[in-house]
Amino acid sequence: MKKITEIVRELAQPVAEENGCELWDVEYVREAGQWYLRLYLDKEGGVNILDCEAVSRKVSDLLDEADPIESSYMFEVSSAGAERALKRPGDFERFMGSAVLVKTYKPKDGRKEFAGTLAGYEDGAVLLDMGTGEPLRFEKSEIALVRLRVEF
């Protein structure tokens, strides 16, 4: 049986593309007792409110027709954002050499957050160049989150 996020991705992907956007991610999460279905979009030059509205209206209609979620939920469509999470191998390949923040589940060298440049990705492990010599390696099991980091 397919996961809800997979079903929604299949419904939303063509709609995002029709509107000149890339479907970056689909989340179905429970927060404060409420379920949220979130679509994150990306587009060359940036996603605007009109992009989100167009995708939201069409996907909402498709969700009503397909009815893949039995319980009530909040539906949101937004930009993936400048500091988006990197999750899939393609995300890491696309942003190789970019500034990122790695958060770990447990402290490593006394801390849980590491900022640097994405220097490698191997079977879920992340290599982070922190400008101190050899890149620091984080195994997939250690990583809570990897996201882009905007530097000012």
Side-chain angles (χ1 to χ4, degrees):
M1 188 167 143
K2 288 185 181 177
K3 293 181 1 182
I4 288 172
T5 53
E6 292 171 350
I7 294 167
V8 172
R9 180 175 290 281
E10 288 174 5
L11 291 170
Q13 185 85 39
V15 176
E17 290 171 0
E18 286 168 17
N19 286 277
C21 297
E22 172 190 351
L23 182 59
W24 180 261
D25 199 11
V26 177
E27 283 184 345
Y28 184 60
V29 294
R30 188 171 180 89
E31 295 176 1
Q34 174 69 47
W35 283 97
Y36 289 85
L37 175 61
R38 295 188 178 115
L39 304 184
Y40 295 99
L41 306 176
D42 192 22
K43 181 172 92 172
E44 190 68 37
V47 173
N48 62 43
I49 190 73
L50 298 176
D51 297 321
C52 294
E53 180 183 13
V55 171
S56 176
R57 286 181 190 276
K58 180 68 175 167
V59 173
S60 180
D61 290 345
L62 293 173
L63 288 169
D64 287 345
E65 289 174 24
D67 200 21
I69 304 172
E70 293 179 15
S71 59
S72 65
Y73 59 92
M74 299 293 293
F75 179 53
E76 300 175 349
V77 178
S78 68
S79 165
E83 292 192 331
R84 68 192 64 187
L86 304 181
K87 297 179 179 180
R88 298 171 301 276
D91 299 346
F92 290 92
E93 291 168 18
R94 179 174 171 182
F95 291 101
M96 195 61 60
S98 297
V100 297
L101 179 72
V102 175
K103 292 185 179 186
T104 58
Y105 291 111
K106 296 179 182 174
K108 182 172 184 157
D109 299 330
R111 32 192 269 219
K112 293 173 73 173
E113 291 190 7
F114 301 83
T117 302
L118 183 59
Y121 182 79
E122 303 166 354
D123 299 320
V126 171
L127 297 174
L128 186 67
D129 182 352
M130 298 175 60
T132 57
E134 275 298 303
L136 191 55
R137 182 181 176 94
F138 296 88
E139 297 302 327
K140 184 177 182 178
S141 61
E142 297 177 279
I143 300 170
L145 172 73
V146 178
R147 68 168 175 77
L148 294 178
R149 184 172 55 89
V150 175
E151 297 176 309
F152 295 97

